[in-house]
Coordinates of all heavy atoms in Angstrom, one line a residue:
A189 N 101.6 106.3 70.4 CA 103.1 106.4 70.5 C 103.7 105.3 71.5 O 104.7 104.8 71.1 CB 103.5 107.7 70.8
A190 N 103.1 105.2 72.6 CA 103.7 104.3 73.6 C 103.6 102.8 73.0 O 104.6 102.0 73.2 CB 102.8 104.3 74.8
R191 N 102.5 102.6 72.3 CA 102.4 101.2 71.7 C 103.5 100.9 70.7 O 104.0 99.9 70.6 CB 101.0 101.0 71.2 CG 100.8 99.6 70.6 CD 99.3 99.4 70.1 NE 99.3 98.0 69.7 CZ 98.3 97.3 69.9 NH1 97.1 97.9 70.3 NH2 98.2 96.1 69.4
R192 N 103.7 102.0 69.8 CA 104.9 101.8 68.8 C 106.2 101.6 69.5 O 107.0 100.9 69.1 CB 104.7 103.1 68.0 CG 105.6 102.9 66.8 CD 105.6 104.1 65.8 NE 104.3 104.6 65.5 CZ 103.9 105.7 65.5 NH1 104.6 106.8 65.9 NH2 102.5 106.0 65.2
A193 N 106.4 102.3 70.6 CA 107.7 102.2 71.3 C 107.9 100.7 71.9 O 108.9 100.2 71.8 CB 107.8 103.2 72.4
W194 N 106.7 100.2 72.4 CA 106.7 98.8 73.0 C 107.1 97.9 71.9 O 108.0 97.0 72.0 CB 105.4 98.4 73.5 CG 105.3 97.1 73.8 CD1 104.6 96.1 73.2 CD2 105.9 96.4 75.0 NE1 104.8 94.9 73.8 CE2 105.5 95.0 75.0 CE3 106.7 96.8 76.1 CZ2 105.8 94.2 75.9 CZ3 107.0 95.9 77.0 CH2 106.6 94.5 76.9
K195 N 106.5 98.0 70.6 CA 106.9 97.1 69.5 C 108.2 97.3 69.1 O 108.9 96.3 68.8 CB 105.8 97.4 68.4 CG 104.5 96.8 68.6 CD 103.7 96.9 67.3 CE 102.4 96.2 67.6 NZ 101.6 96.2 66.3
S196 N 108.8 98.4 69.0 CA 110.1 98.6 68.5 C 111.2 98.1 69.6 O 112.2 97.6 69.1 CB 110.3 100.0 68.2 OG 110.3 100.9 69.4
S197 N 110.9 98.3 70.9 CA 111.9 97.8 71.8 C 111.6 96.4 72.3 O 112.6 95.6 72.4 CB 112.0 98.7 73.0 OG 110.7 98.8 73.6
G198 N 110.4 96.1 72.5 CA 110.1 94.7 72.8 C 110.5 94.4 74.3 O 111.2 95.2 74.9
P199 N 110.0 93.4 74.9 CA 110.4 93.1 76.2 C 111.8 92.6 76.2 O 112.5 92.3 75.2 CB 109.5 91.8 76.5 CG 108.9 91.4 75.3 CD 109.1 92.5 74.3
P200 N 112.5 92.8 77.4 CA 114.0 92.5 77.6 C 114.4 91.1 77.0 O 115.4 91.0 76.3 CB 114.2 92.6 79.1 CG 113.2 93.6 79.6 CD 111.9 93.2 78.6
A201 N 113.6 90.1 77.4 CA 113.9 88.8 77.0 C 113.9 88.6 75.4 O 114.8 88.0 74.8 CB 113.0 87.8 77.5
A202 N 113.0 89.3 74.7 CA 113.0 89.3 73.3 C 114.1 90.1 72.7 O 114.7 89.6 71.6 CB 111.6 89.9 72.9
R203 N 114.5 91.1 73.2 CA 115.6 91.9 72.8 C 116.9 91.1 72.9 O 117.8 91.0 72.0 CB 115.8 93.2 73.6 CG 114.8 94.3 73.2 CD 115.2 95.6 73.6 NE 115.4 95.7 75.2 CZ 114.5 96.0 76.0 NH1 113.2 96.1 75.7 NH2 114.9 96.1 77.3
R204 N 117.1 90.2 74.0 CA 118.3 89.4 74.2 C 118.3 88.3 73.2 O 119.4 88.1 72.6 CB 118.3 88.9 75.5 CG 118.7 89.8 76.6 CD 118.9 89.0 77.9 NE 118.5 90.0 79.0 CZ 117.5 90.0 79.9 NH1 116.7 88.9 79.7 NH2 117.2 90.7 80.7
L205 N 117.2 87.8 72.8 CA 117.1 86.7 71.8 C 117.3 87.2 70.4 O 117.7 86.5 69.4 CB 115.8 85.9 71.9 CG 115.8 85.1 73.2 CD1 114.4 84.4 73.2 CD2 116.8 83.9 73.2
A206 N 116.9 88.6 70.2 CA 116.9 89.1 68.8 C 118.2 89.6 68.3 O 118.4 90.1 67.2 CB 115.8 90.2 68.8
G207 N 119.2 89.5 69.1 CA 120.5 90.1 68.8 C 121.1 89.5 67.6 O 121.1 88.3 67.4
P208 N 121.5 90.4 66.6 CA 122.0 89.8 65.3 C 123.4 89.0 65.4 O 123.6 88.3 64.5 CB 122.2 91.1 64.5 CG 122.4 92.2 65.5 CD 121.6 91.8 66.7
Q209 N 124.1 89.2 66.5 CA 125.3 88.5 66.6 C 125.1 87.0 67.0 O 126.1 86.2 66.8 CB 126.2 89.2 67.6 CG 125.7 89.1 69.1 CD 124.6 90.1 69.4 OE1 124.0 90.8 68.6 NE2 124.2 90.0 70.7
Q210 N 123.9 86.6 67.3 CA 123.7 85.2 67.6 C 123.1 84.4 66.5 O 122.2 84.8 65.8 CB 122.7 85.1 68.9 CG 123.4 85.6 70.2 CD 122.4 85.2 71.4 OE1 121.2 85.3 71.2 NE2 123.0 84.9 72.5
S211 N 123.5 83.1 66.5 CA 123.0 82.1 65.5 C 121.6 81.7 66.2 O 121.4 81.9 67.4 CB 123.9 81.1 65.3 OG 124.0 80.2 66.5
D212 N 120.9 81.0 65.3 CA 119.6 80.4 65.9 C 119.9 79.4 67.0 O 119.2 79.2 68.0 CB 118.7 79.7 64.8 CG 117.9 80.7 64.0 OD1 117.8 81.9 64.5 OD2 117.3 80.4 63.0
T213 N 121.0 78.6 66.7 CA 121.4 77.6 67.7 C 121.8 78.4 69.1 O 121.3 77.9 70.1 CB 122.6 76.8 67.2 OG1 122.3 76.2 66.0 CG2 123.1 75.8 68.3
D214 N 122.5 79.3 69.0 CA 122.8 80.1 70.3 C 121.6 80.6 71.0 O 121.4 80.6 72.1 CB 123.8 81.2 70.0 CG 125.1 80.8 69.6 OD1 125.5 79.6 70.0 OD2 125.9 81.5 68.9
R215 N 120.7 81.2 70.1 CA 119.4 81.7 70.7 C 118.6 80.6 71.4 O 118.0 80.8 72.5 CB 118.6 82.4 69.5 CG 119.1 83.7 69.2 CD 118.1 84.3 68.0 NE 118.7 85.5 67.5 CZ 119.1 85.7 66.3 NH1 119.0 84.8 65.4 NH2 119.7 86.8 65.9
L216 N 118.6 79.4 70.7 CA 117.7 78.3 71.3 C 118.4 77.9 72.6 O 117.7 77.6 73.5 CB 117.6 77.2 70.3 CG 116.8 77.5 69.1 CD1 117.0 76.4 68.0 CD2 115.3 77.5 69.5
K217 N 119.6 77.8 72.6 CA 120.4 77.3 73.9 C 120.1 78.4 75.0 O 119.8 78.0 76.2 CB 121.8 77.3 73.7 CG 122.3 76.1 72.8 CD 123.7 76.0 72.6 CE 124.2 74.8 71.7 NZ 125.6 74.8 71.4
T218 N 120.1 79.7 74.7 CA 119.9 80.7 75.7 C 118.4 80.6 76.2 O 118.1 80.7 77.3 CB 120.1 82.1 75.1 OG1 121.4 82.2 74.7 CG2 119.7 83.2 76.0
L219 N 117.6 80.4 75.1 CA 116.1 80.3 75.5 C 115.8 79.1 76.5 O 115.2 79.2 77.5 CB 115.3 80.2 74.3 CG 113.8 80.1 74.5 CD1 113.2 81.3 75.1 CD2 113.1 79.8 73.0
L220 N 116.4 78.0 76.1 CA 116.2 76.8 76.9 C 116.8 76.9 78.4 O 116.2 76.5 79.4 CB 116.7 75.5 76.2 CG 115.8 75.1 75.1 CD1 116.4 74.0 74.3 CD2 114.4 74.8 75.5
R221 N 117.9 77.5 78.4 CA 118.5 77.7 79.8 C 117.7 78.7 80.6 O 117.6 78.4 81.7 CB 119.9 78.4 79.5 CG 121.1 77.5 79.1 CD 122.3 78.2 78.9 NE 123.3 77.4 78.2 CZ 123.9 77.8 77.0 NH1 123.6 79.1 76.6 NH2 124.6 77.1 76.3
R222 N 117.2 79.7 80.0 CA 116.4 80.6 80.8 C 115.0 80.1 81.2 O 114.6 80.2 82.2 CB 116.2 82.0 80.0 CG 117.5 82.7 79.9 CD 117.3 84.0 79.3 NE 118.5 84.7 79.1 CZ 119.1 85.4 80.0 NH1 118.5 85.7 81.1 NH2 120.3 86.1 79.8
V223 N 114.3 79.4 80.3 CA 113.0 78.7 80.6 C 113.2 77.5 81.5 O 112.4 77.5 82.5 CB 112.3 78.4 79.2 CG1 111.0 77.7 79.6 CG2 112.0 79.6 78.5
Y224 N 114.1 76.6 81.2 CA 114.1 75.4 81.9 C 115.2 75.2 83.0 O 115.4 74.3 83.7 CB 114.3 74.2 81.0 CG 113.1 74.0 80.0 CD1 113.2 73.4 78.8 CD2 111.8 74.3 80.5 CE1 112.1 73.2 77.9 CE2 110.7 74.0 79.7 CZ 111.0 73.5 78.4 OH 109.8 73.2 77.6
A225 N 116.1 76.3 83.0 CA 117.2 76.3 83.9 C 118.1 75.0 83.8 O 118.5 74.6 84.8 CB 116.8 76.5 85.3
R226 N 118.4 74.7 82.6 CA 119.2 73.5 82.2 C 119.8 73.7 80.9 O 119.3 74.4 80.1 CB 118.5 72.2 82.5 CG 117.4 72.1 81.4 CD 116.9 70.6 81.5 NE 115.8 70.4 80.5 CZ 115.8 70.3 79.2 NH1 117.0 70.5 78.5 NH2 114.7 70.1 78.5
E227 N 120.8 72.9 80.6 CA 121.4 72.8 79.2 C 120.4 72.0 78.4 O 119.9 70.9 78.8 CB 122.7 72.2 79.2 CG 123.8 73.0 79.9 CD 124.0 74.3 79.3 OE1 124.2 74.4 78.0 OE2 124.1 75.4 80.0
P228 N 120.3 72.3 77.1 CA 119.4 71.5 76.3 C 120.0 70.2 76.0 O 121.3 70.1 75.9 CB 119.5 72.3 74.9 CG 120.5 73.3 75.0 CD 120.8 73.5 76.4
N229 N 119.2 69.1 75.8 CA 119.8 67.8 75.4 C 120.1 67.8 73.9 O 119.6 68.7 73.1 CB 118.9 66.7 75.9 CG 117.6 66.6 75.1 OD1 117.6 66.6 73.9 ND2 116.5 66.4 75.9
P230 N 120.8 66.9 73.5 CA 121.3 66.9 72.1 C 120.2 66.9 71.0 O 120.4 67.3 69.9 CB 122.2 65.6 72.0 CG 122.7 65.3 73.4 CD 121.5 65.8 74.2
N231 N 119.0 66.3 71.4 CA 117.9 66.2 70.4 C 117.1 67.4 70.3 O 116.4 67.6 69.3 CB 117.1 65.0 70.9 CG 117.8 63.8 70.8 OD1 118.6 63.5 70.0 ND2 117.4 62.8 71.7
E232 N 117.2 68.2 71.3 CA 116.2 69.4 71.4 C 116.5 70.5 70.3 O 115.6 71.0 69.6 CB 116.3 70.1 72.7 CG 115.5 69.3 73.8 CD 115.6 69.7 75.2 OE1 116.7 70.2 75.6 OE2 114.5 69.9 75.9
I233 N 117.8 70.9 70.1 CA 118.1 72.0 69.3 C 117.8 71.7 67.9 O 117.0 72.4 67.2 CB 119.6 72.3 69.4 CG1 119.9 72.8 70.8 CG2 120.0 73.4 68.4 CD1 119.2 74.1 71.2
P234 N 118.0 70.5 67.3 CA 117.6 70.2 65.9 C 116.1 70.1 65.7 O 115.6 70.6 64.7 CB 118.3 68.8 65.6 CG 119.4 68.7 66.6 CD 119.0 69.4 67.8
Q235 N 115.4 69.6 66.7 CA 114.0 69.6 66.6 C 113.4 71.0 66.7 O 112.5 71.3 65.9 CB 113.4 68.7 67.7 CG 113.7 67.3 67.6 CD 113.2 66.5 68.8 OE1 112.8 67.1 70.0 NE2 113.2 65.2 68.7
L236 N 113.9 71.9 67.5 CA 113.5 73.3 67.5 C 113.8 74.0 66.3 O 113.1 74.9 65.9 CB 113.9 73.9 68.7 CG 113.5 73.3 70.1 CD1 114.2 73.9 71.2 CD2 111.9 73.4 70.2
Q237 N 115.0 73.8 65.7 CA 115.3 74.4 64.4 C 114.4 74.0 63.3 O 113.9 74.8 62.5 CB 116.8 74.1 64.1 CG 117.8 74.7 64.9 CD 119.2 74.4 64.6 OE1 119.4 73.2 64.5 NE2 120.0 75.3 64.9
I238 N 114.0 72.7 63.3 CA 113.0 72.3 62.3 C 111.7 73.0 62.4 O 111.1 73.6 61.5 CB 112.7 70.7 62.4 CG1 114.0 70.0 61.8 CG2 111.5 70.3 61.6 CD1 113.9 68.5 62.2
F239 N 111.3 73.2 63.7 CA 110.1 73.9 63.9 C 110.2 75.4 63.4 O 109.2 76.0 62.8 CB 109.8 73.9 65.5 CG 108.6 74.8 65.9 CD1 107.3 74.3 65.9 CD2 108.8 76.1 66.4 CE1 106.2 75.0 66.2 CE2 107.8 76.9 66.8 CZ 106.4 76.4 66.6
L240 N 111.3 76.0 63.8 CA 111.4 77.5 63.3 C 111.4 77.5 61.8 O 111.0 78.5 61.2 CB 112.8 78.0 63.9 CG 112.8 78.2 65.3 CD1 114.2 78.7 65.8 CD2 111.8 79.3 65.8
N241 N 112.2 76.7 61.2 CA 112.2 76.7 59.7 C 110.9 76.3 58.9 O 110.9 76.7 57.8 CB 113.4 75.7 59.2 CG 114.7 76.3 59.7 OD1 114.9 77.4 59.9 ND2 115.6 75.3 60.0
Q242 N 110.0 75.7 59.6 CA 108.7 75.4 59.0 C 107.9 76.6 58.8 O 106.9 76.6 58.0 CB 107.9 74.3 59.7 CG 108.6 72.9 59.6 CD 107.8 71.9 60.5 OE1 107.2 72.3 61.5 NE2 108.1 70.7 60.2
N243 N 108.1 77.7 59.5 CA 107.3 78.8 59.5 C 108.1 80.0 58.8 O 109.1 80.4 59.2 CB 106.9 79.3 60.9 CG 105.8 80.4 60.7 OD1 105.7 81.1 59.8 ND2 105.1 80.4 61.9
P244 N 107.6 80.5 57.6 CA 108.3 81.6 56.9 C 108.4 82.8 57.6 O 109.2 83.6 57.4 CB 107.5 81.7 55.6 CG 106.1 81.2 55.9 CD 106.4 80.1 56.9
N245 N 107.4 83.1 58.5 CA 107.4 84.3 59.3 C 108.3 83.9 60.6 O 107.7 83.4 61.6 CB 106.0 84.7 59.7 CG 106.0 86.0 60.5 OD1 107.0 86.3 61.2 ND2 104.9 86.7 60.4
R246 N 109.6 84.4 60.6 CA 110.4 84.0 61.7 C 110.0 84.6 63.1 O 110.1 83.9 64.1 CB 111.9 84.5 61.4 CG 112.5 83.9 60.2 CD 112.8 82.4 60.3 NE 113.9 82.2 61.3 CZ 114.4 81.0 61.6 NH1 113.7 80.0 61.1 NH2 115.4 80.9 62.3
N247 N 109.5 85.8 63.1 CA 109.0 86.4 64.3 C 107.9 85.5 64.9 O 107.8 85.3 66.1 CB 108.5 87.8 64.2 CG 109.8 88.8 63.9 OD1 110.9 88.5 64.3 ND2 109.6 89.8 63.3
E248 N 106.9 85.1 64.1 CA 105.8 84.4 64.5 C 106.3 83.0 64.9 O 105.8 82.5 66.0 CB 104.8 84.2 63.4 CG 103.6 83.6 63.8 CD 102.7 84.2 64.8 OE1 102.8 85.5 64.9 OE2 101.9 83.6 65.7
A249 N 107.2 82.5 64.3 CA 107.8 81.1 64.7 C 108.4 81.2 66.1 O 108.1 80.3 66.9 CB 108.8 80.7 63.7
W250 N 109.2 82.3 66.4 CA 109.9 82.4 67.7 C 108.8 82.7 68.7 O 108.9 82.1 69.9 CB 110.9 83.6 67.7 CG 112.2 83.1 67.1 CD1 112.6 83.4 65.9 CD2 113.1 82.4 67.8 NE1 113.9 82.8 65.7 CE2 114.3 82.2 66.9 CE3 113.4 81.9 69.1 CZ2 115.4 81.5 67.2 CZ3 114.4 81.2 69.5 CH2 115.5 81.0 68.5
K251 N 107.8 83.5 68.4 CA 106.7 83.7 69.4 C 106.0 82.5 69.8 O 105.8 82.1 70.9 CB 105.7 84.7 68.7 CG 104.7 85.2 69.6 CD 103.9 86.2 68.9 CE 102.4 86.1 69.1 NZ 101.6 87.0 68.4
R252 N 105.7 81.6 68.8 CA 105.1 80.4 69.1 C 105.9 79.5 69.9 O 105.4 78.7 70.7 CB 104.6 79.7 67.8 CG 103.4 80.4 67.1 CD 103.1 79.9 65.8 NE 102.0 80.6 65.2 CZ 101.1 80.1 64.4 NH1 101.3 78.9 63.9 NH2 100.1 80.9 63.8
L253 N 107.2 79.4 69.5 CA 108.1 78.5 70.3 C 108.2 78.9 71.7 O 108.1 78.1 72.5 CB 109.5 78.7 69.6 CG 110.6 77.8 70.4 CD1 110.3 76.4 70.5 CD2 111.9 78.1 69.7
C254 N 108.3 80.2 72.0 CA 108.3 80.7 73.4 C 107.1 80.3 74.1 O 107.0 79.8 75.3 CB 108.5 82.2 73.5 SG 110.2 82.8 72.9
H255 N 105.9 80.5 73.4 CA 104.6 80.2 74.1 C 104.6 78.7 74.4 O 104.1 78.2 75.5 CB 103.4 80.6 73.3 CG 103.2 82.0 73.2 ND1 102.4 82.7 72.3 CD2 103.6 83.0 73.9 CE1 102.3 83.9 72.5 NE2 103.1 84.2 73.5
S256 N 105.1 77.9 73.5 CA 105.0 76.4 73.7 C 105.9 76.1 74.9 O 105.6 75.1 75.6 CB 105.5 75.7 72.4 OG 104.7 76.1 71.4
L257 N 107.1 76.7 75.0 CA 107.9 76.3 76.0 C 107.3 76.7 77.4 O 107.5 75.9 78.4 CB 109.2 77.0 76.0 CG 110.2 76.5 74.8 CD1 111.4 77.2 74.7 CD2 110.4 75.0 74.8
L258 N 106.6 77.8 77.5 CA 106.1 78.3 78.7 C 104.8 77.6 79.1 O 104.5 77.6 80.3 CB 105.8 79.8 78.6 CG 106.9 80.7 78.4 CD1 106.5 82.2 78.2 CD2 107.9 80.7 79.7
I259 N 104.2 76.9 78.2 CA 103.1 75.9 78.7 C 103.4 74.5 78.7 O 102.6 73.7 79.0 CB 101.9 76.2 77.8 CG1 102.1 75.7 76.3 CG2 101.3 77.6 77.8 CD1 101.0 75.6 75.5
S260 N 104.7 74.3 78.7 CA 105.1 72.8 78.7 C 105.0 72.3 80.2 O 105.1 73.1 81.1 CB 106.5 72.6 78.1 OG 107.4 73.2 79.0
N261 N 104.9 71.0 80.3 CA 104.9 70.4 81.6 C 106.2 70.6 82.3 O 106.2 70.9 83.5 CB 104.6 68.9 81.5 CG 103.2 68.5 81.3 OD1 102.3 69.4 81.6 ND2 102.9 67.5 80.7
E262 N 107.3 70.6 81.6 CA 108.6 70.8 82.3 C 108.7 72.2 82.8 O 109.3 72.3 83.9 CB 109.8 70.6 81.3 CG 111.0 70.7 82.0 CD 112.3 70.3 81.0 OE1 111.9 69.8 79.9 OE2 113.4 70.5 81.4
F263 N 108.1 73.2 82.3 CA 108.2 74.5 82.8 C 107.2 74.6 84.0 O 107.5 75.1 85.0 CB 107.8 75.5 81.8 CG 107.8 77.0 82.3 CD1 109.0 77.6 82.6 CD2 106.6 77.6 82.6 CE1 109.0 79.0 83.1 CE2 106.6 78.9 83.1 CZ 107.8 79.6 83.3
L264 N 106.1 74.0 83.9 CA 105.1 74.2 84.9 C 105.3 73.4 86.2 O 105.0 73.7 87.3 CB 103.6 73.8 84.4 CG 103.2 74.6 83.3 CD1 101.9 74.1 82.7 CD2 103.0 76.1 83.7
Y265 N 106.0 72.2 86.1 CA 106.2 71.3 87.2 C 107.6 70.9 87.3 O 108.2 70.2 86.5 CB 105.3 70.0 87.0 CG 103.9 70.2 86.8 CD1 103.3 70.1 85.6 CD2 103.1 70.5 87.9 CE1 101.9 70.4 85.4 CE2 101.8 70.8 87.9 CZ 101.3 70.8 86.6 OH 99.9 71.0 86.4
R266 N 108.3 71.4 88.3 CA 109.6 71.0 88.6 C 109.7 70.1 89.8 O 109.0 70.2 90.8 CB 110.4 72.3 89.1 CG 110.6 73.3 88.0 CD 111.5 73.0 86.7 NE 112.8 72.3 87.2 CZ 113.9 72.7 86.7 NH1 113.9 73.5 85.7 NH2 115.0 72.1 87.1
S267 N 110.4 69.0 89.7 CA 110.5 68.0 90.7 C 111.7 68.2 91.5 O 112.6 68.8 91.2 CB 110.2 66.6 90.3 OG 111.2 66.3 89.2

C-alpha cells in the first residue's frame, strides 16, 4: 500500500512539474530554473521539446530528461 501511495503522489518536484495547468514550455522553464538556478537560453527549450516528443511515453521521457539534467556537467560543476 505504501508503494502504491508513493506512485500516486510522487515526489514533490514531480508533482509540481505534473500540474495540468502548465504547458510543456512552462514545465521545462521551471525544471531548468530549479536544476541550474538560471533562466533557460533560447536554444534549450526547443531542443528539450524535441527530446520529449520523440518518446511516445511522456512519463518516461520526463524521467529521462530529469536524469540527464542531473548528471550534466553544468549541474555537477558550478564555477
Side-chain angles (χ1 to χ4, degrees):
R191 184 177 185 145
R192 191 174 312 130
W194 170 258
K195 284 186 173 186
S196 65
S197 62
R203 286 196 306 270
R204 281 188 213 109
L205 288 175
Q209 69 280 7
Q210 287 190 325
S211 67
D212 279 351
T213 299
D214 291 336
R215 287 183 183 114
L216 288 167
K217 287 178 181 178
T218 298
L219 180 63
L220 289 173
R221 285 182 196 122
R222 291 185 183 273
V223 171
Y224 294 148
R226 64 166 177 79
E227 292 297 317
N229 71 46
N231 298 325
E232 286 175 316
I233 299 298
Q235 290 174 345
L236 295 174
Q237 287 173 325
I238 290 169
F239 175 83
L240 290 173
N241 292 331
Q242 288 176 341
N243 190 334
N245 183 335
R246 297 295 280 181
N247 289 336
E248 185 64 25
W250 278 100
K251 183 172 135 181
R252 289 179 182 200
L253 175 61
C254 291
H255 286 167
S256 297
L257 295 177
L258 292 173
I259 63 169
S260 70
N261 283 339
E262 184 172 351
F263 179 75
L264 297 173
Y265 302 104
R266 297 288 312 220
S267 52

